[in-house]
Amino acid sequence: MRGALGRRAGRRSPRTRRARPAAALCGALALLTGCSVATPDVPLDQPGRDPVTITVWSAYTGRELDVFNEVLKTFEDEHPWITVKSVGSQNNDRMVAALRGGPAPDVQWAPQSDLAGVYCPSGGWRDLRHYIERDKVDKKVFVPAAWRATTAGGKRCALPVLGDVYGLYYNRTLLKRAGLDGPPKTMSQLTSYAKKLTERTGSGRVKVAGYAPLTLFYANRPSYEAQLWGADWFDEDGRSAVATDRTWRRMLEWRRELIDWYGYDRIRAFTAGAGAQYTASNAFHTGRLAMMLDGEFRTGFIKNEAKDLDYGTGPFPAPDDQPERYGAGAWTVHLAGVTNRSAHPDASWRLVKWLATDKGAQIALAKGLHNVPTTREALDSPELRKIPHFAPFLRMAAHPHSKIPPNTPAGLSYQDTMASFFQRVESGAASDTRSGLDEQARRIDEFIDQITIGKDR
């Protein structure tokens, strides 16, 4: 599962991303609707060097957990009085349960920034402003989008440690065969390319898809696509903007046009047999999918599972009327926070700060995990730019139009309800887009209004 935390809870499939069970979302909401978080009565500042052991939870498994643990050993070498116990395979259900009263770690690593909206206002993670001010951590060391991901409910409860940036993957061989020179740069070009690159059998079955636009197929998510289109989730008053921002309707109209060209049943049959996203049978790996949206981590999968694939990476096409957006990517940021259950907050903060700001740690994690670093200095590392196909994602990360989805106290619920609506539109089950978006706006506002913790009552 990618879990409500968004990532890294299955096999390396850190990226068995995004199957977010309802139970996980309910657990996150329960944390915010009446559950107080017990806080040990310990001083924030513990300047001594008495030996201490802290525990860090992550969703890493297998090779990725090995990479993470190797980096933690460097931290221990530089902080010999602190021992770090690393526990992997921790999904969102376990993390929320820990914050509500179960056995809890000192540090949690959340692989999706949206959860700051849950952990900050609930008090599940400590507000780090005391430590940030004490140690003079300068926000300018971070990529702006990453720094913005660390706050919610008036609290800054995390620091950014790595991220995923989503862009375009394209099969060079298939583009060349179709007489196409270079990747598409606008949404209309993407549509044209998709049609030229698609191959069908005599019966009309899709043999090779130029681009498969169905929601929840591989990385196709409203949370990423809204960033690429520049669609607003909320207005200035904090109310849902999905019905008032015309961009949402344009997104739906674009994908519906392409789906109708394929035939919904035929493109649905293609995706059903396309091969699992995080396996060697992935349709892009095997040459059955010419273009797709995906994150920088895919470069590591292709290196291991499709060595002979001739492919390119770059920014995802921009809306035709917003050419300035070309070059941006869709961010999701990994966060590290100190839990409010920690009896060793000072030592835990030292680990969080080191992971987030130490150049060597950032580069080692980025190289080992094929993720994008979140400090400006590490982002400019020549070591990372040497990784094949990786440099475009580093440039996308620093683009001024690259941003993150909003952090809300309802966690990821607002994204999930939109994904479900997109699927209904695509299948034809929801034909009235305007009234459907009105209903989604109402539901999203209801999710937010359910939350009581962090609000005046």
Side-chain angles (χ1 to χ4, degrees):
M1 87 156 237
R2 176 171 167 148
L5 277 179
R7 132 191 204 134
R8 290 196 161 97
R11 100 197 238 299
R12 133 87 170 167
S13 320
R15 311 167 209 259
T16 355
R17 309 175 164 256
R18 279 309 220 196
R20 291 191 295 273
L25 291 173
C26 290
L29 288 174
L31 187 65
L32 286 153
T33 53
C35 165
S36 61
V37 179
T39 306
D41 184 16
V42 295
L44 290 178
D45 298 304
Q46 299 166 314
R49 295 293 183 266
D50 294 333
V52 62
T53 297
I54 58 175
T55 301
V56 56
W57 280 11
S58 71
Y60 291 127
T61 62
R63 185 193 68 83
E64 289 196 324
L65 184 59
D66 292 339
V67 170
F68 186 51
N69 290 342
E70 279 299 312
V71 174
L72 292 178
K73 288 180 183 177
T74 302
F75 172 81
E76 291 179 322
D77 290 342
E78 296 180 12
H79 303 76
W81 69 98
I82 303 175
T83 299
V84 181
K85 179 182 178 183
S86 172
V87 181
S89 301
Q90 299 304 302
N91 62 28
N92 186 64
D93 288 339
R94 296 191 187 103
M95 291 188 178
V96 170
L99 298 180
R100 297 182 69 194
D106 297 281
V107 173
Q108 285 182 339
W109 177 292
Q112 187 153 324
S113 49
D114 316 66
L115 269 296
V118 174
Y119 292 144
C120 287
S122 70
W125 284 8
R126 289 180 180 271
D127 191 334
L128 298 179
R129 285 178 296 182
H130 167 78
Y131 294 117
I132 291 170
E133 293 169 5
R134 185 194 73 183
D135 293 356
K136 296 180 173 56
V137 176
D138 186 353
K139 69 178 183 180
K140 293 180 181 178
V141 307
F142 301 104
V143 179
W147 178 251
R148 288 194 296 269
T150 62
T151 185
K155 299 179 181 179
R156 193 170 300 279
C157 69
L159 290 184
V161 188
L162 303 184
D164 293 326
V165 176
Y166 287 75
L168 181 72
Y169 282 74
Y170 56 96
N171 185 307
R172 293 182 187 275
T173 300
L174 295 179
L175 263 66
K176 188 179 300 183
R177 184 191 303 169
L180 298 169
D181 183 19
K185 295 185 178 181
T186 66
M187 297 306 298
S188 61
Q189 286 181 348
L190 177 60
T191 299
S192 175
Y193 272 46
K195 294 177 179 180
K196 290 180 180 179
L197 290 163
T198 294
E199 300 176 17
R200 299 178 188 258
T201 65
S203 63
R205 179 176 60 85
V206 178
K207 182 180 178 182
V208 175
Y211 180 82
L214 293 183
T215 297
L216 301 189
F217 173 65
Y218 291 175
N220 297 348
R221 301 289 188 278
S223 57
Y224 304 143
E225 293 168 349
Q227 298 177 61
L228 299 168
W229 281 79
D232 289 327
W233 285 98
F234 300 96
D235 61 23
E236 293 180 356
D237 296 324
R239 309 306 286 174
S240 175
V242 302
T244 54
D245 184 347
R246 179 70 174 77
T247 308
W248 288 98
R249 289 176 61 195
R250 292 173 55 217
M251 289 171 61
L252 286 165
E253 290 164 359
W254 172 82
R255 68 195 317 109
R256 184 71 221 202
E257 176 192 343
L258 186 53
I259 290 168
D260 286 347
W261 179 83
Y262 277 111
Y264 174 75
D265 290 339
R266 285 177 172 167
I267 192 62
R268 180 66 180 155
F270 172 83
T271 59
Q277 184 176 6
Y278 297 106
T279 68
S281 63
N282 178 293
F284 186 77
H285 293 195
T286 60
R288 296 185 59 221
L289 180 63
M291 300 180 293
M292 69 174 182
L293 173 69
D294 214 339
E296 78 295 325
F297 49 83
R298 176 61 54 188
T299 59
F301 280 86
I302 294 174
K303 178 181 179 181
N304 293 329
E305 299 170 352
K307 291 184 175 65
D308 297 328
L309 183 65
D310 183 14
Y311 75 101
T313 60
F316 201 79
D320 288 66
D321 62 345
Q322 300 179 67
E324 71 279 2
R325 301 195 70 85
Y326 186 73
W331 263 103
T332 183
V333 180
H334 314 166
L335 303 176
V338 178
T339 73
N340 234 358
R341 304 279 309 286
S342 174
H344 310 291
D346 190 273
S348 300
W349 157 253
R350 290 175 186 273
L351 174 60
V352 168
K353 182 180 70 169
W354 184 84
L355 288 168
T357 63
D358 184 87
K359 180 181 178 180
Q362 283 272 299
I363 292 174
L365 287 168
K367 286 178 64 177
L369 301 171
H370 273 239
N371 290 143
V372 172
T374 44
T375 65
R376 296 174 186 269
E377 187 179 25
L379 202 62
D380 290 335
S381 166
E383 292 181 64
L384 298 182
R385 294 183 182 275
K386 291 177 183 177
I387 300 174
H389 307 290
F390 200 74
F393 295 99
L394 301 175
R395 292 192 291 270
M396 283 183 253
H399 193 280
H401 284 291
S402 294
K403 59 180 184 178
I404 62 166
N407 291 335
T408 79
L412 304 169
S413 302
Y414 74 97
Q415 298 176 19
D416 290 332
T417 188
M418 282 297 282
S420 296
F421 175 63
F422 270 44
Q423 289 184 305
R424 294 198 301 277
V425 171
E426 292 163 4
S427 69
S431 57
D432 188 342
T433 303
R434 186 187 297 272
S435 63
L437 287 170
D438 286 340
E439 172 63 15
Q440 296 314 304
R442 184 189 64 77
R443 294 187 63 189
I444 291 171
D445 287 339
E446 286 181 352
F447 282 134
I448 305 299
D449 290 342
Q450 287 181 51
I451 308 308
T452 57
I453 288 181
K455 294 183 178 181
D456 295 331
R457 303 174 71 179

